[in-house]
Each structure stands twice: as C-alpha cells, then as structure tokens.
Amino acid sequence: MISNEVRRKLQVAVGAEHVLESEVDRFSYSYDSSSMAVVPAFKPDVVVRPATTEEVSKVMAVAFEHVIPVTARGTATGKTGGSVPLKGGIVLSLERLNKIVELDERNMMVTAETGVRTIDLYNHCAAKGLFFPPDPAGWKMSTIGGNVAENAGGMRAVKYGVTGDYVMGLEVVMSDGTILNTGGKAIKNVTGYDLTSLFTGSEGTLGIITKILFRLIPMPKQRGSLQIMFKSLDDGCATIHKMLQENIVPAAAEIMDKASLDAVALKRKITFDEQIGSCVVIEVDGEDVDAVNAQINRIDRVAKSCGALSLRVAKNEAETQDLWSIRRELSQAVAALAPDRVGEDISVPRDAFPEVVRRIRKLSEKYNLPLAVYGHAGDGNLHPIILCDFNDKEQMKRVEQMVDGVFEAALAVGGTLSGEHGIGVSKKPYIVDALGEAGIKAHKAVKQALDPKGILNPDKIW
Amino acid sequence: MISNEVRRKLQVAVGAEHVLESEVDRFSYSYDSSSMAVVPAFKPDVVVRPATTEEVSKVMAVAFEHVIPVTARGTATGKTGGSVPLKGGIVLSLERLNKIVELDERNMMVTAETGVRTIDLYNHCAAKGLFFPPDPAGWKMSTIGGNVAENAGGMRAVKYGVTGDYVMGLEVVMSDGTILNTGGKAIKNVTGYDLTSLFTGSEGTLGIITKILFRLIPMPKQRGSLQIMFKSLDDGCATIHKMLQENIVPAAAEIMDKASLDAVALKRKITFDEQIGSCVVIEVDGEDVDAVNAQINRIDRVAKSCGALSLRVAKNEAETQDLWSIRRELSQAVAALAPDRVGEDISVPRDAFPEVVRRIRKLSEKYNLPLAVYGHAGDGNLHPIILCDFNDKEQMKRVEQMVDGVFEAALAVGGTLSGEHGIGVSKKPYIVDALGEAGIKAHKAVKQALDPKGILNPDKIW
C-alpha cells in the first residue's frame, strides 16, 4: 500500500487515471513470460502509466524521495522475471511512451520511445527500405525498451548482431529523476565512458530507458532459405562452423536436435527418416539473386563435405514458409509433449556447442527428464528445453538439479548463463559462479553509484 | 619523489631494475604524441615496468595503500595526452606484457597481453588467414591495450567498426589491485552489466587493462582500390553517402579537401587540375575478383551520378600503392606547410560532414589560420588540421579560439568531441558541453565507484 501523500504526488505526475491500485490491475502487472510461478504473485503496490519522459522523471523523483522500489515494464515478454516487481512498490508501465519520434533516412537512424513494439519499429523502417535487424522471438509483442534493457538477441544475430549493436544513444531517467542523454548520431564516438552500453542489458537496475536512437542498415534485396538434414548434431554444427570460417555468413542458422524433430513430427503426424539426427535451417541474404545463389552453392558444398543427408532450397515464398515452419512450430510442438517445460538460454563458445549438448544430454539421462535442444548454432546460443510437470513436486526437484547442471555445463565449457534472455530472477543463484567475486563487486559498485537508494528493480541479477 | 617504503615495495613487486627514477627515465615517460607542450614536463615520480598481471596487481595494491596516482602507458602514441601523468606519481609502463597468449582458430578469437603492438597482433592472425581489422593510424607502434583504452578507430571503421567492436572480454586490474575478468568467448552474452564496454574507451581512469580477448573474422581474399576526384567536398561526401545507402560498404573511404591536395601537390612538385576540389580514395574487399569488381562498377555509377571528374581503378599492387599514397603522404605533406600544426578529431552525423567543414572553413577565414581537412567520411569522422607556429604567441591565441570554434561546430551539428582519439587532457574544457551536467554526474559516480581513491589517471576526461 502506498501512502496518501505518495498517491497524490503520483496522480499529479501522470494523472489520476494512470495510477492503478485495484487488485486485478496489480495482479495483471505482476508477472512476465518466464516460467516463474505466479502464485504467490509479486504484486506491486501501484501501477503507474506515464506518457512522457517528463512524467517518468516526476514519478522517479517521488520514488526517490520516498524510497519506493520501481520496476519498469514494457509488454512483459521477458523470460527471466526481469519485470516482476519482487519488492512490490511501483510498476512503471511504459506502454504509453509509444511514439516513433524520427526516421532519419539520410543518416539511416531512427529515434523512438521505449514503449514502441519491435514489429512496429521494424515495419516503419522497412517501408523506407531500411532494416532494423534485431528479431527476438517475441518481437511482435515486445517493446524496444525491453529489448534494450535485456540486450535481446534473435535469429539474425549470427550475421547482424544483437539489439545492443544497433543502439547509438539513449535517453535514460536516473533513479532520482534526472534525465540523462548518452551517445548520438556520430558513428564514431569516444567522448567519455560508453554509458550507452552500460545501460543496455542492465535489466532496469541502473535507470529507466525512455528513448532510443538506433542505427539502421539498407534492407537486403534478396533472400534465400535452405533446410539441411544431418545424421548428427555434430555434423550440423560442423557445417555452420565451416561456413563461418569460409566467410559465408548466413542471416540466420538454426539447429534442432532429434528430440525437437520428433516433437514436430508428432505434431504434424509425419515421420522423418530414421537416420536424421539434426536439422539446420539457414537464411541467406544479399544484394541480388546471384549473390544469394552464390552463397547457397557454397553452403551446399560445405554441407556435403560435412556429411549432409539432404539439402532443400526454397524455390518460392511458399516453400520458404514451409521450410522454416519446422523451426517456427518447434516451440509449440515441444510444448505439446508435456504439461510444462523449463526453457533455458545458455551461450557457449561456438565450437563448444556439440560438447555442451552432450553434457546436457547426460544430465537428461541422469535425472530421467526428457529434453529438446535447439538454438542459434552460428553464435553458440542454445535453448535446452526440459519437459516436466509443475505439479509433480518430486520431478520438479530433479528439474531444479538439472537446471543447475545445465548452467554448470555452460560455464565449464567457457560459456555463460545467458545469451539473450538476461539474468533477472531465475539465474541469480548462478551469477557468482559466472562473474566471480571481483565481477560481483564491480557490479555492486556501479549499481550503488547510479542507484544509491537501491530502488530500481531491486533484487535482480545478483 | 616516492618514499623509501614505497620504493622498496615497488621493487619487491616488479624487481629493482624495473623501478626507474632517473631524470631521463622520468622525462622519457612523461609525454605522448599529442600536441601538448612537453615543457614543463609532467614527469612521474617513478616509472614501474611490471611483466605480468600479478605484478600489475601488486603495484596497484601499493598505489592504493599509499594513495599514489597511477598513469598506465603503452607506447604513448595517443593524441590527447591520455598517458601523460598530470599528477606525477607512478607511470605504469605495460610494454613488458607483450605475449600473444592464444590464437583460437576454431572460434576465430585471439587472447593477448596489453602491451602487444597492433601490427604484431595483426600479422600473427593474418598468418592463419584471420583478420584483425582495427587500424588506428599509429598501428605499427601502438599497443592493443592503448587501442582498447582509447577505443581507437582507423580507416577500416566504415566497414569493420572500431577496436571496441572486436573486444569480447578483458582482464582488468582494479585500483585496489583486484583482478577482474569480463566477457568471454560466448558470442552472445548478457550475463550482468557490459563492463567490457565500460572499460573500453575509459582512458585508463577505471582500471588497468592487462589482457584482451578479441574476436577475428576471415581475411578478405580480394581487395580493390579507387581514387575519385570531385569538384567539391560536397560531391565527394554525397558519393560516399549514396554508396552506403545502396549497401555498398567500402573497407575504407577517405576524403581530402583542396587544401590537403595542394599540400600533397607541393610536396610532390606536381599540380592537380584546377577544377578538383576534393579527392576520395576507396578500398573495397570481398571473397573473389567478381565480388570486388561488382562493387567497383557500382561505385563508378554512383560517383558519376554525383558529378565525379575522374575515377581511377588500381590495376595492380603498384597502382594501388600509388593511388593510396596521396592519403598516406598527407600528414607529412600538411606538416611541411608550417612549423607546427594542431590536428583535431571530431565526429559528426554522416550527413553533417559537409556542413561542419563549411563552418570550420569560416573559422579559418575569421581567425586567418590556414586549414586542411581530411577524414573518414564514411563514418563522419574528420581531422581538421590548423597550421600554425607554436612560438608565435599571438597566433596561438587565435588557434585556441579556433579550436574552441571547431568543437562548438561539431556539437552544433549533433556531433561529438572525439571520434577516435579520446578526451584525455586536450578536450577536457569542452566535456560538459558535450555530455551535459547529468552526463558528467553519471561519469563521476561511475569513476568514484570503481576508483574510490581517484588514483587512476587523475585529472583526465573531465
């Protein structure tokens, strides 16, 4: 519960109709898309919906004065509980800051408010022939502010990098309400510390991102897709490796293991050739048909040299859709195999992909838990999915142990806890192992410096 | 002067022969490659030359305990006084940390100590067909630690980005001697704050970078070069713009104004066609001859559409060298025009390049100071060179005023103080205008957090 004084101040800041305190509103803004249990819900005391940076600033000034926790929130598509208000207080919903401020075609840059949905930004730019590449799986729902706060990745990362690679500058409201601007349209910029990168991926713990300047690139003119079947995951990984080493950089390179394929087969009521142990789906793009075909031919050669069983090239849009459907349906298909699932997001050195999958498979046997693995093999980012039933207490204990093992395996091969989902709540227990004591100390020092009262998204990351 | 106690501790840390206190040693380690006057010299009290990270850690522990300023130094090729020990104390020379630790060909990454020279790292990787693109002008002398500390750019930045774009992880010795590791070989990594980017470009004020993990890319197999003459700087800039908008991304795109060309003509005792107002030299690269030629043909079309006067394509290595010599000789040629020169490094939104040059030319007229402008037009990073005589007191006053005007012009068109040289000492007076009060406050908070005693490269940046 907030005091009458705080309520009045918040109402003055954003208008009474945007200060929500009903039970249902507080519940609605209490969870995200992670597999964190929503009961008991971490309900905020109040939901505040500012419409402008100035209103965000006023809300933060109130929160700072009264030492109230503030958890920023876009559309809550996050996978690690980043926008769950663990300590109650204010949920700062940024959905009304949804304007695309400027599309600067000459400099190929776009400025937009934090609550703009990723797909809307993409379409706005695409209409002018400009390409905003970051494509997290939830891009039709997710907001760009959330993408930046989590430094979200996506399938195109192998060629085009992650969200952070496109952030040129930020407007950030600091914990005390101060409005800070970082970066700018100068492409090369070494004036002061790289605060832009510091806020990117900071999961709402250092400041509230209210506006973003992104760079864009020209939209590729032609695309092509291939689907390649292999006997083993190792052969699929080897193909992706060899491609990259030969400077064939696909726009996307997704790999799925046998369990993932079995799930798709079950859903579609088809069967795959028994020999098939993994499937790789690749998109290439380029300036013209020749450039695309040249890449496809080179990939064909590499795949055959790595023992590919079969290779299909999409001849038209319908075939492209069909060929990618195996990847798109995967999440649903796997979901159908069990009442619940725990999906993880680990990232390892590219060449450790097969090794970490082997280690995780052993865990699956050890704990007797079915497992599907798919991911962005081109950048070593994989999603092991453990099939389970949240109501089976005994099983969930094994799931917990297996998750511990998954992170242990990632770190053991030189990898890290998260490639694109962030740490949030769900990966906190492993953070010291990942960053070391010195790393945690540096994190805490930076946090204390920029959020001295500890009100921004408390209890996250470590 | 350091106390006997400190001397003894430093000698224990690195060996007596690596603790230098003679007048000549202290002078030798007092200046860098900036145009800062070396008289009076900012001599350190002592020069310490550790050989390992552990030794750096021990030196920092001593400095921390006794609150002694520490200025890290590679080969001092910096252009803004970053490695000048303004407050005396310890100059920490990192030249002995010069091992290339590991070239991981499979993951296309290299780990090296901070004191490795850029060219040595480049050659080591190139021998295995791997490309380390960052190429600051001083790359034959500069060390990779300095490159990272300044986030150095170079001619290839337009296609390949700057040093920071290749840093995957760092080993950093903190002000109290703690050894911190950031990042790693996982390509996608959102575990915690992006401390790697925070230390990159922090100019030795947040920690001592001792080891660096860089990503590499496959070496391009073919290159081609073009030299294009234009009536005006605007036509040259327009060509580079249009190329980039049409997704023709050159490996380098350098522009020179008429004054720069005149300097080269004078040096070479030749004359250029009177019509020529600017020259653009471009390098393209690609997988094969066809890919390179396709780019050259497209550039040819774009340049003609922007009013190019002439276009030369190098047919062999000798012609390539000749064609680039106009750019390579530039610095020397301009230097020959006057006893001294003040070279600046500003960076503006790409489309503001012609406008900022117009503004700077007006300043040149106003203050009656000859000027040459050249730069990396593809990324809006330019180097206006003011010709002058350090001994002419009255003139140097005008130079100071003109430099003020240059930075004012950069900020007025949405640009920034530095594209690749850093802030160091020489740009400190302008930092508040560039970053704003909120920006400075955030910088100071971060600095205080990571260097609570303020001993790391004091008095720099702000």
Side-chain angles (χ1 to χ4, degrees):
Chain A
M1 277 289 287
I2 51 172
S3 68
N4 288 336
E5 185 192 352
V6 168
R7 181 176 303 112
R8 208 189 55 246
K9 285 180 179 171
L10 292 174
Q11 287 174 343
V12 168
V14 302
E17 68 275 33
H18 297 297
V19 178
L20 315 177
E21 290 184 89
S22 77
E23 192 66 19
V24 62
D25 280 330
R26 288 165 52 227
F27 179 75
S28 302
Y29 287 84
S30 68
Y31 55 89
D32 72 349
S33 305
S34 65
S35 44
M36 278 182 72
V38 292
V39 184
F42 293 99
K43 280 182 292 193
D45 297 312
V46 58
V47 178
V48 182
R49 301 170 68 248
T52 64
T53 301
E54 290 63 38
E55 289 186 5
V56 173
S57 166
K58 284 177 192 162
V59 173
M60 286 313 305
V62 175
F64 189 78
E65 187 192 345
H66 295 270
V67 196
I68 303 167
V70 177
T71 302
R73 183 185 179 93
T75 42
T77 56
K79 292 288 201 182
T80 54
S83 62
V84 174
L86 291 187
K87 292 278 188 183
I90 296 169
V91 156
L92 192 68
S93 175
L94 298 162
E95 61 208 304
R96 294 173 68 216
L97 281 89
N98 60 1
K99 279 186 284 300
I100 296 175
V101 179
E102 183 208 44
L103 177 59
D104 177 349
E105 290 182 65
R106 281 184 59 81
N107 286 306
M108 296 193 279
M109 293 190 192
V110 64
T111 307
E113 290 180 344
T114 194
V116 171
R117 298 208 178 189
T118 317
I119 192 170
D120 292 337
L121 189 78
Y122 175 90
N123 286 333
H124 188 86
C125 300
K128 298 289 183 182
L130 291 169
F131 184 30
F132 177 68
D135 61 341
W139 74 305
K140 288 184 182 171
M141 274 296 286
S142 72
T143 60
I144 55 170
N147 295 354
V148 174
E150 299 290 324
N151 197 6
M155 294 207 276
R156 294 185 188 122
V158 58
K159 179 166 185 173
Y160 294 109
V162 295
T163 303
D165 294 316
Y166 293 84
V167 180
M168 296 294 298
L170 295 172
E171 180 189 75
V172 182
V173 177
M174 305 298 288
S175 71
D176 63 357
T178 306
I179 300 168
L180 170 71
N181 285 282
T182 74
K185 286 187 184 175
I187 296 166
K188 283 159 89 176
N189 186 342
V190 293
T191 301
Y193 301 152
D194 185 357
L195 296 183
T196 305
S197 295
L198 183 62
F199 287 107
T200 301
S202 67
E203 307 195 20
T205 64
L206 298 181
I208 309 291
I209 295 166
T210 46
K211 209 182 283 171
I212 305 149
L213 172 68
F214 289 112
R215 72 184 181 89
L216 305 166
I217 57 177
M219 185 67 80
K221 293 198 177 60
Q222 293 290 334
R223 295 178 202 272
S225 287
L226 304 84
Q227 191 189 79
I228 320 174
M229 298 297 186
F230 294 94
K231 275 194 284 267
S232 68
L233 202 76
D234 282 46
D235 288 351
C237 286
T239 298
I240 292 172
H241 255 275
K242 213 168 161 187
M243 279 166 50
L244 293 167
Q245 263 156 346
E246 293 190 10
N247 214 1
I248 314 165
V249 186
E254 296 290 299
I255 197 162
M256 287 145 271
D257 73 349
K258 195 172 171 54
S260 302
L261 293 172
D262 287 346
V264 172
L266 195 70
K267 178 165 183 276
R268 288 201 194 170
K269 300 187 175 64
I270 56 167
T271 50
F272 287 111
D273 183 332
E274 266 201 9
Q275 273 195 84
I276 294 172
S278 79
C279 170
V280 170
V281 188
I282 290 174
E283 184 183 276
V284 292
D285 61 18
E287 251 336 271
D288 50 39
V289 176
D290 288 351
V292 166
N293 285 341
Q295 290 177 76
I296 290 175
N297 291 335
R298 292 176 66 205
I299 293 172
D300 182 73
R301 268 201 303 279
V302 170
K304 279 177 184 149
S305 79
C306 294
L309 294 171
S310 67
L311 184 140
R312 265 182 71 199
V313 179
K315 289 191 200 66
N316 51 46
E317 184 54 28
E319 284 190 30
T320 301
Q321 291 304 329
D322 179 55
L323 194 149
W324 272 98
S325 63
I326 198 169
R327 172 67 180 86
R328 292 223 183 81
E329 288 171 14
L330 192 54
S331 183
Q332 266 198 306
V334 170
L337 297 180
D340 298 295
R341 57 200 169 125
V342 171
E344 279 309 336
D345 157 55
I346 57 172
S347 187
V348 299
R350 195 189 287 137
D351 79 335
F353 199 106
E355 171 60 19
V356 85
V357 172
R358 266 190 291 276
R359 288 180 184 224
I360 295 172
R361 283 225 184 102
K362 271 192 198 150
L363 294 170
S364 159
E365 285 164 29
K366 178 177 172 187
Y367 294 109
N368 190 25
L369 289 165
L371 173 82
V373 176
Y374 58 91
H376 319 301
D379 40 34
N381 183 198
L382 64 154
H383 300 304
I385 311 296
I386 306 168
L387 302 170
C388 56
D389 179 353
F390 288 170
N391 290 321
D392 183 340
K393 292 263 154 39
E394 180 277 327
Q395 192 196 51
M396 287 311 290
K397 235 177 219 161
R398 280 183 283 133
V399 170
E400 256 177 53
Q401 289 170 318
M402 174 154 169
V403 168
D404 287 355
V406 168
F407 291 127
E408 214 172 90
L411 298 178
V413 300
T416 189
L417 304 179
S418 178
E420 52 187 18
H421 293 175
I423 302 301
V425 188
S426 44
K427 299 183 183 187
K428 269 175 61 176
Y430 315 97
I431 195 77
V432 179
D433 288 343
L435 299 180
E437 294 291 350
I440 295 296
K441 193 179 152 198
H443 274 72
K444 286 185 178 168
V446 170
K447 166 76 174 176
Q448 170 70 22
L450 298 182
D451 177 21
K453 292 190 178 177
I455 59 176
L456 288 169
N457 209 5
D459 274 13
K460 301 295 167 71
I461 305 183
W462 61 79
Chain B
M1 278 288 288
I2 51 172
S3 68
N4 288 337
E5 185 192 352
V6 167
R7 181 177 304 112
R8 207 189 56 244
K9 286 180 180 171
L10 292 174
Q11 287 175 343
V12 168
V14 302
E17 69 275 34
H18 297 297
V19 178
L20 316 177
E21 290 185 89
S22 77
E23 192 66 20
V24 62
D25 280 330
R26 287 165 53 228
F27 179 76
S28 302
Y29 287 85
S30 70
Y31 55 89
D32 72 350
S33 305
S34 65
S35 43
M36 280 182 70
V38 292
V39 183
F42 292 100
K43 282 183 293 194
D45 297 311
V46 57
V47 177
V48 182
R49 301 171 68 247
T52 64
T53 301
E54 290 63 38
E55 289 186 5
V56 172
S57 166
K58 285 177 191 163
V59 172
M60 286 313 305
V62 175
F64 189 78
E65 185 191 346
H66 294 271
V67 196
I68 303 168
V70 177
T71 303
R73 183 186 180 92
T75 42
T77 56
K79 292 289 201 181
T80 54
S83 61
V84 174
L86 291 187
K87 292 279 189 184
I90 296 170
V91 156
L92 191 68
S93 175
L94 299 162
E95 60 208 305
R96 294 174 67 218
L97 280 89
N98 60 0
K99 278 186 284 301
I100 296 175
V101 179
E102 182 208 45
L103 177 59
D104 177 349
E105 290 181 64
R106 282 184 58 82
N107 286 305
M108 295 193 278
M109 294 189 191
V110 64
T111 307
E113 290 181 345
T114 194
V116 170
R117 300 210 177 188
T118 318
I119 191 170
D120 293 337
L121 190 77
Y122 174 90
N123 286 332
H124 188 86
C125 301
K128 299 289 184 184
L130 291 168
F131 185 28
F132 177 68
D135 62 340
W139 74 304
K140 288 184 182 171
M141 274 295 287
S142 72
T143 60
I144 55 171
N147 295 354
V148 174
E150 300 291 323
N151 198 5
M155 294 207 276
R156 294 184 188 124
V158 58
K159 179 166 185 173
Y160 294 108
V162 295
T163 303
D165 293 315
Y166 293 83
V167 181
M168 296 294 299
L170 295 172
E171 179 189 76
V172 182
V173 176
M174 305 298 288
S175 72
D176 63 357
T178 306
I179 299 168
L180 170 72
N181 285 283
T182 74
K185 286 187 183 174
I187 296 165
K188 285 160 88 176
N189 186 342
V190 293
T191 301
Y193 302 153
D194 185 358
L195 296 183
T196 305
S197 294
L198 183 62
F199 287 107
T200 301
S202 67
E203 306 194 22
T205 65
L206 298 181
I208 309 291
I209 296 166
T210 46
K211 208 182 283 171
I212 305 149
L213 171 68
F214 289 112
R215 71 184 181 90
L216 305 166
I217 56 178
M219 185 67 80
K221 293 198 179 58
Q222 292 291 333
R223 296 178 200 273
S225 288
L226 304 84
Q227 190 190 80
I228 320 175
M229 298 296 186
F230 294 94
K231 276 193 282 261
S232 67
L233 202 75
D234 283 46
D235 288 351
C237 286
T239 298
I240 292 172
H241 255 276
K242 214 168 159 186
M243 278 166 51
L244 293 168
Q245 263 155 347
E246 294 190 11
N247 214 2
I248 315 165
V249 185
E254 296 290 298
I255 197 163
M256 288 145 268
D257 74 348
K258 195 171 172 54
S260 301
L261 293 173
D262 286 347
V264 172
L266 195 70
K267 178 163 182 278
R268 290 200 193 169
K269 300 188 175 66
I270 56 165
T271 51
F272 287 111
D273 184 331
E274 266 201 6
Q275 274 195 83
I276 294 172
S278 80
C279 169
V280 170
V281 188
I282 290 173
E283 182 182 278
V284 291
D285 61 19
E287 251 335 90
D288 50 39
V289 176
D290 289 351
V292 166
N293 286 340
Q295 291 177 74
I296 290 175
N297 290 336
R298 292 176 67 205
I299 294 171
D300 183 75
R301 268 202 303 279
V302 170
K304 279 178 184 149
S305 78
C306 293
L309 294 172
S310 67
L311 184 140
R312 265 182 72 198
V313 180
K315 288 190 201 67
N316 51 47
E317 183 53 27
E319 284 191 29
T320 301
Q321 292 303 328
D322 179 56
L323 195 149
W324 273 97
S325 63
I326 198 168
R327 171 68 180 85
R328 291 223 185 81
E329 288 171 15
L330 193 54
S331 182
Q332 266 199 306
V334 170
L337 297 178
D340 299 295
R341 59 201 168 123
V342 171
E344 280 309 339
D345 156 55
I346 57 172
S347 186
V348 299
R350 196 188 287 138
D351 79 335
F353 199 107
E355 171 61 17
V356 84
V357 172
R358 269 191 288 277
R359 289 180 184 223
I360 295 172
R361 282 220 186 107
K362 270 190 197 149
L363 293 170
S364 159
E365 285 164 29
K366 179 176 171 188
Y367 294 109
N368 190 27
L369 289 166
L371 173 81
V373 176
Y374 58 91
H376 320 299
D379 40 35
N381 183 199
L382 64 153
H383 300 305
I385 311 295
I386 306 169
L387 303 170
C388 56
D389 178 352
F390 289 171
N391 290 319
D392 183 339
K393 292 262 154 39
E394 180 278 325
Q395 194 197 50
M396 287 312 289
K397 237 179 216 156
R398 281 183 282 133
V399 170
E400 258 178 51
Q401 289 170 318
M402 176 154 169
V403 168
D404 287 355
V406 167
F407 291 127
E408 215 172 88
L411 297 178
V413 300
T416 189
L417 303 179
S418 178
E420 52 188 16
H421 293 175
I423 302 302
V425 187
S426 45
K427 299 183 181 185
K428 269 175 60 176
Y430 314 97
I431 195 77
V432 179
D433 288 343
L435 299 180
E437 294 291 349
I440 295 295
K441 193 178 153 199
H443 274 71
K444 286 185 179 171
V446 170
K447 166 76 174 174
Q448 170 70 24
L450 299 182
D451 177 20
K453 293 190 179 177
I455 58 176
L456 288 169
N457 209 5
D459 274 13
K460 299 296 167 68
I461 304 183
W462 61 80

